[in-house]
mmCIF file of all heavy atoms in Angstrom:
data_model
loop_
_atom_site.group_PDB
_atom_site.id
_atom_site.type_symbol
_atom_site.label_atom_id
_atom_site.label_comp_id
_atom_site.label_asym_id
_atom_site.label_seq_id
_atom_site.Cartn_x
_atom_site.Cartn_y
_atom_site.Cartn_z
ATOM 1 N N VAL A 7 4.457 15.638 7.143
ATOM 2 C CA VAL A 7 5.267 15.552 8.359
ATOM 3 C C VAL A 7 5.587 16.952 8.878
ATOM 4 O O VAL A 7 6.200 17.759 8.175
ATOM 5 C CB VAL A 7 6.593 14.802 8.067
ATOM 6 C CG1 VAL A 7 7.471 14.766 9.316
ATOM 7 C CG2 VAL A 7 6.300 13.389 7.574
ATOM 8 N N ILE A 8 5.126 17.228 10.093
ATOM 9 C CA ILE A 8 5.421 18.523 10.716
ATOM 10 C C ILE A 8 6.393 18.265 11.865
ATOM 11 O O ILE A 8 6.012 17.716 12.903
ATOM 12 C CB ILE A 8 4.134 19.189 11.257
ATOM 13 C CG1 ILE A 8 3.090 19.321 10.146
ATOM 14 C CG2 ILE A 8 4.461 20.546 11.874
ATOM 15 C CD1 ILE A 8 1.739 19.845 10.619
ATOM 16 N N ARG A 9 7.656 18.619 11.646
ATOM 17 C CA ARG A 9 8.646 18.382 12.703
ATOM 18 C C ARG A 9 8.492 19.410 13.822
ATOM 19 O O ARG A 9 8.634 19.074 14.985
ATOM 20 C CB ARG A 9 10.056 18.424 12.121
ATOM 21 C CG ARG A 9 10.292 17.266 11.155
ATOM 22 C CD ARG A 9 11.535 17.477 10.302
ATOM 23 N NE ARG A 9 11.452 16.665 9.102
ATOM 24 C CZ ARG A 9 11.976 15.448 8.972
ATOM 25 N NH1 ARG A 9 12.663 14.913 9.954
ATOM 26 N NH2 ARG A 9 11.834 14.757 7.859
ATOM 27 N N GLY A 10 8.221 20.665 13.436
ATOM 28 C CA GLY A 10 7.927 21.693 14.431
ATOM 29 C C GLY A 10 9.155 22.237 15.140
ATOM 30 O O GLY A 10 10.240 22.341 14.549
ATOM 31 N N ASP A 11 8.984 22.547 16.420
ATOM 32 C CA ASP A 11 10.014 23.258 17.188
ATOM 33 C C ASP A 11 10.530 22.398 18.345
ATOM 34 O O ASP A 11 9.983 21.341 18.633
ATOM 35 C CB ASP A 11 9.407 24.547 17.766
ATOM 36 C CG ASP A 11 8.693 25.369 16.704
ATOM 37 O OD1 ASP A 11 9.292 25.577 15.634
ATOM 38 O OD2 ASP A 11 7.539 25.774 16.939
ATOM 39 N N GLY A 12 11.562 22.922 19.026
ATOM 40 C CA GLY A 12 12.082 22.252 20.223
ATOM 41 C C GLY A 12 12.515 20.828 19.925
ATOM 42 O O GLY A 12 13.266 20.570 18.975
ATOM 43 N N ILE A 13 11.984 19.878 20.697
ATOM 44 C CA ILE A 13 12.358 18.470 20.486
ATOM 45 C C ILE A 13 11.631 17.854 19.284
ATOM 46 O O ILE A 13 11.908 16.715 18.910
ATOM 47 C CB ILE A 13 12.071 17.590 21.729
ATOM 48 C CG1 ILE A 13 10.585 17.627 22.116
ATOM 49 C CG2 ILE A 13 12.966 17.989 22.900
ATOM 50 C CD1 ILE A 13 10.186 16.596 23.162
ATOM 51 N N GLY A 14 10.693 18.609 18.682
ATOM 52 C CA GLY A 14 9.895 18.072 17.572
ATOM 53 C C GLY A 14 10.716 17.331 16.522
ATOM 54 O O GLY A 14 10.458 16.154 16.234
ATOM 55 N N PRO A 15 11.746 18.004 15.938
ATOM 56 C CA PRO A 15 12.510 17.328 14.876
ATOM 57 C C PRO A 15 13.178 16.028 15.342
ATOM 58 O O PRO A 15 13.214 15.046 14.595
ATOM 59 C CB PRO A 15 13.568 18.377 14.495
ATOM 60 C CG PRO A 15 12.952 19.697 14.870
ATOM 61 C CD PRO A 15 12.129 19.420 16.099
ATOM 62 N N GLU A 16 13.667 16.001 16.599
ATOM 63 C CA GLU A 16 14.373 14.791 17.091
ATOM 64 C C GLU A 16 13.420 13.599 17.226
ATOM 65 O O GLU A 16 13.754 12.475 16.841
ATOM 66 C CB GLU A 16 14.974 15.043 18.487
ATOM 67 C CG GLU A 16 15.924 16.218 18.570
ATOM 68 C CD GLU A 16 16.166 16.657 20.018
ATOM 69 O OE1 GLU A 16 16.364 15.797 20.898
ATOM 70 O OE2 GLU A 16 16.157 17.870 20.271
ATOM 71 N N ILE A 17 12.243 13.865 17.791
ATOM 72 C CA ILE A 17 11.329 12.743 18.034
ATOM 73 C C ILE A 17 10.655 12.278 16.745
ATOM 74 O O ILE A 17 10.438 11.079 16.542
ATOM 75 C CB ILE A 17 10.280 13.112 19.125
ATOM 76 C CG1 ILE A 17 9.570 14.425 18.789
ATOM 77 C CG2 ILE A 17 10.933 13.176 20.498
ATOM 78 C CD1 ILE A 17 8.499 14.840 19.791
ATOM 79 N N VAL A 18 10.367 13.220 15.851
ATOM 80 C CA VAL A 18 9.740 12.846 14.581
ATOM 81 C C VAL A 18 10.708 11.990 13.760
ATOM 82 O O VAL A 18 10.308 11.013 13.115
ATOM 83 C CB VAL A 18 9.289 14.101 13.793
ATOM 84 C CG1 VAL A 18 8.930 13.747 12.358
ATOM 85 C CG2 VAL A 18 8.089 14.756 14.480
ATOM 86 N N GLU A 19 11.991 12.344 13.814
ATOM 87 C CA GLU A 19 13.006 11.583 13.081
ATOM 88 C C GLU A 19 12.944 10.100 13.455
ATOM 89 O O GLU A 19 13.005 9.215 12.590
ATOM 90 C CB GLU A 19 14.388 12.171 13.416
ATOM 91 C CG GLU A 19 15.512 11.728 12.502
ATOM 92 C CD GLU A 19 15.243 12.049 11.040
ATOM 93 O OE1 GLU A 19 14.600 13.059 10.750
ATOM 94 O OE2 GLU A 19 15.688 11.249 10.185
ATOM 95 N N GLN A 20 12.815 9.839 14.744
ATOM 96 C CA GLN A 20 12.775 8.434 15.192
ATOM 97 C C GLN A 20 11.499 7.743 14.692
ATOM 98 O O GLN A 20 11.538 6.587 14.264
ATOM 99 C CB GLN A 20 12.852 8.350 16.737
ATOM 100 C CG GLN A 20 14.114 8.967 17.322
ATOM 101 C CD GLN A 20 15.378 8.564 16.569
ATOM 102 O OE1 GLN A 20 15.586 7.399 16.256
ATOM 103 N NE2 GLN A 20 16.218 9.544 16.260
ATOM 104 N N ALA A 21 10.385 8.475 14.744
ATOM 105 C CA ALA A 21 9.115 7.879 14.282
ATOM 106 C C ALA A 21 9.192 7.557 12.780
ATOM 107 O O ALA A 21 8.693 6.513 12.336
ATOM 108 C CB ALA A 21 7.958 8.830 14.571
ATOM 109 N N LEU A 22 9.843 8.424 12.009
ATOM 110 C CA LEU A 22 9.945 8.165 10.558
ATOM 111 C C LEU A 22 10.815 6.934 10.293
ATOM 112 O O LEU A 22 10.522 6.123 9.409
ATOM 113 C CB LEU A 22 10.508 9.390 9.832
ATOM 114 C CG LEU A 22 9.636 10.656 9.870
ATOM 115 C CD1 LEU A 22 10.269 11.772 9.037
ATOM 116 C CD2 LEU A 22 8.220 10.389 9.375
ATOM 117 N N LYS A 23 11.887 6.793 11.091
ATOM 118 C CA LYS A 23 12.745 5.611 10.911
ATOM 119 C C LYS A 23 11.952 4.329 11.214
ATOM 120 O O LYS A 23 12.099 3.316 10.535
ATOM 121 C CB LYS A 23 13.974 5.712 11.819
ATOM 122 C CG LYS A 23 14.995 6.740 11.323
ATOM 123 C CD LYS A 23 16.213 6.767 12.218
ATOM 124 C CE LYS A 23 17.223 7.787 11.714
ATOM 125 N NZ LYS A 23 18.216 8.147 12.730
ATOM 126 N N VAL A 24 11.117 4.412 12.261
ATOM 127 C CA VAL A 24 10.287 3.251 12.604
ATOM 128 C C VAL A 24 9.320 2.960 11.449
ATOM 129 O O VAL A 24 9.174 1.807 11.013
ATOM 130 C CB VAL A 24 9.527 3.501 13.937
ATOM 131 C CG1 VAL A 24 8.435 2.456 14.151
ATOM 132 C CG2 VAL A 24 10.497 3.512 15.112
ATOM 133 N N LEU A 25 8.670 4.009 10.934
ATOM 134 C CA LEU A 25 7.724 3.813 9.821
ATOM 135 C C LEU A 25 8.423 3.211 8.606
ATOM 136 O O LEU A 25 7.881 2.334 7.930
ATOM 137 C CB LEU A 25 7.073 5.144 9.438
ATOM 138 C CG LEU A 25 5.931 5.635 10.341
ATOM 139 C CD1 LEU A 25 5.489 7.042 9.941
ATOM 140 C CD2 LEU A 25 4.727 4.686 10.295
ATOM 141 N N ASN A 26 9.645 3.684 8.339
ATOM 142 C CA ASN A 26 10.389 3.148 7.175
ATOM 143 C C ASN A 26 10.653 1.663 7.332
ATOM 144 O O ASN A 26 10.552 0.890 6.381
ATOM 145 C CB ASN A 26 11.710 3.901 7.001
ATOM 146 C CG ASN A 26 11.486 5.297 6.448
ATOM 147 O OD1 ASN A 26 10.441 5.558 5.864
ATOM 148 N ND2 ASN A 26 12.432 6.190 6.639
ATOM 149 N N LYS A 27 11.000 1.267 8.547
ATOM 150 C CA LYS A 27 11.280 -0.158 8.790
ATOM 151 C C LYS A 27 9.990 -0.980 8.644
ATOM 152 O O LYS A 27 9.998 -2.071 8.059
ATOM 153 C CB LYS A 27 11.891 -0.328 10.198
ATOM 154 C CG LYS A 27 12.329 -1.729 10.518
ATOM 155 C CD LYS A 27 13.558 -2.133 9.696
ATOM 156 C CE LYS A 27 13.910 -3.595 9.932
ATOM 157 N NZ LYS A 27 15.020 -4.047 9.093
ATOM 158 N N VAL A 28 8.890 -0.436 9.168
ATOM 159 C CA VAL A 28 7.601 -1.139 9.040
ATOM 160 C C VAL A 28 7.247 -1.280 7.554
ATOM 161 O O VAL A 28 6.792 -2.341 7.105
ATOM 162 C CB VAL A 28 6.488 -0.374 9.807
ATOM 163 C CG1 VAL A 28 5.104 -0.917 9.458
ATOM 164 C CG2 VAL A 28 6.726 -0.471 11.306
ATOM 165 N N ALA A 29 7.479 -0.210 6.794
ATOM 166 C CA ALA A 29 7.184 -0.251 5.349
ATOM 167 C C ALA A 29 7.997 -1.358 4.690
ATOM 168 O O ALA A 29 7.485 -2.115 3.858
ATOM 169 C CB ALA A 29 7.504 1.105 4.720
ATOM 170 N N GLU A 30 9.275 -1.447 5.087
ATOM 171 C CA GLU A 30 10.158 -2.471 4.508
ATOM 172 C C GLU A 30 9.652 -3.880 4.867
ATOM 173 O O GLU A 30 9.541 -4.752 3.996
ATOM 174 C CB GLU A 30 11.562 -2.241 5.095
ATOM 175 C CG GLU A 30 12.664 -3.084 4.522
ATOM 176 C CD GLU A 30 13.938 -2.898 5.353
ATOM 177 O OE1 GLU A 30 14.327 -1.749 5.649
ATOM 178 O OE2 GLU A 30 14.523 -3.942 5.747
ATOM 179 N N ILE A 31 9.277 -4.066 6.141
ATOM 180 C CA ILE A 31 8.839 -5.399 6.585
ATOM 181 C C ILE A 31 7.541 -5.819 5.891
ATOM 182 O O ILE A 31 7.372 -6.971 5.500
ATOM 183 C CB ILE A 31 8.649 -5.414 8.132
ATOM 184 C CG1 ILE A 31 9.979 -5.196 8.846
ATOM 185 C CG2 ILE A 31 8.005 -6.728 8.590
ATOM 186 C CD1 ILE A 31 9.851 -5.001 10.354
ATOM 187 N N TYR A 32 6.598 -4.863 5.755
ATOM 188 C CA TYR A 32 5.265 -5.223 5.244
ATOM 189 C C TYR A 32 5.059 -4.888 3.763
ATOM 190 O O TYR A 32 3.960 -5.054 3.229
ATOM 191 C CB TYR A 32 4.181 -4.536 6.089
ATOM 192 C CG TYR A 32 4.034 -5.157 7.463
ATOM 193 C CD1 TYR A 32 4.810 -4.714 8.527
ATOM 194 C CD2 TYR A 32 3.140 -6.197 7.693
ATOM 195 C CE1 TYR A 32 4.692 -5.283 9.788
ATOM 196 C CE2 TYR A 32 3.004 -6.777 8.949
ATOM 197 C CZ TYR A 32 3.802 -6.315 9.996
ATOM 198 O OH TYR A 32 3.673 -6.884 11.229
ATOM 199 N N GLY A 33 6.091 -4.350 3.113
ATOM 200 C CA GLY A 33 5.982 -4.061 1.680
ATOM 201 C C GLY A 33 5.122 -2.850 1.349
ATOM 202 O O GLY A 33 4.450 -2.827 0.323
ATOM 203 N N HIS A 34 5.102 -1.845 2.224
ATOM 204 C CA HIS A 34 4.364 -0.611 1.937
ATOM 205 C C HIS A 34 5.322 0.476 1.455
ATOM 206 O O HIS A 34 6.539 0.375 1.640
ATOM 207 C CB HIS A 34 3.655 -0.078 3.189
ATOM 208 C CG HIS A 34 2.682 -1.034 3.786
ATOM 209 N ND1 HIS A 34 1.669 -1.596 3.059
ATOM 210 C CD2 HIS A 34 2.573 -1.531 5.055
ATOM 211 C CE1 HIS A 34 0.965 -2.401 3.854
ATOM 212 N NE2 HIS A 34 1.502 -2.383 5.070
ATOM 213 N N THR A 35 4.738 1.540 0.896
ATOM 214 C CA THR A 35 5.531 2.732 0.562
ATOM 215 C C THR A 35 4.930 3.920 1.298
ATOM 216 O O THR A 35 3.742 4.214 1.131
ATOM 217 C CB THR A 35 5.481 2.999 -0.960
ATOM 218 O OG1 THR A 35 5.955 1.825 -1.630
ATOM 219 C CG2 THR A 35 6.356 4.190 -1.334
#
Side-chain angles (χ1 to χ4, degrees):
V7 177
I8 305 174
R9 294 165 201 266
D11 309 312
I13 59 169
E16 303 164 44
I17 52 178
V18 167
E19 194 57 33
Q20 300 315 314
L22 295 184
K23 286 182 180 163
V24 167
L25 281 173
N26 286 340
K27 185 70 185 176
V28 168
E30 187 189 312
I31 295 172
Y32 287 88
H34 301 306
T35 303

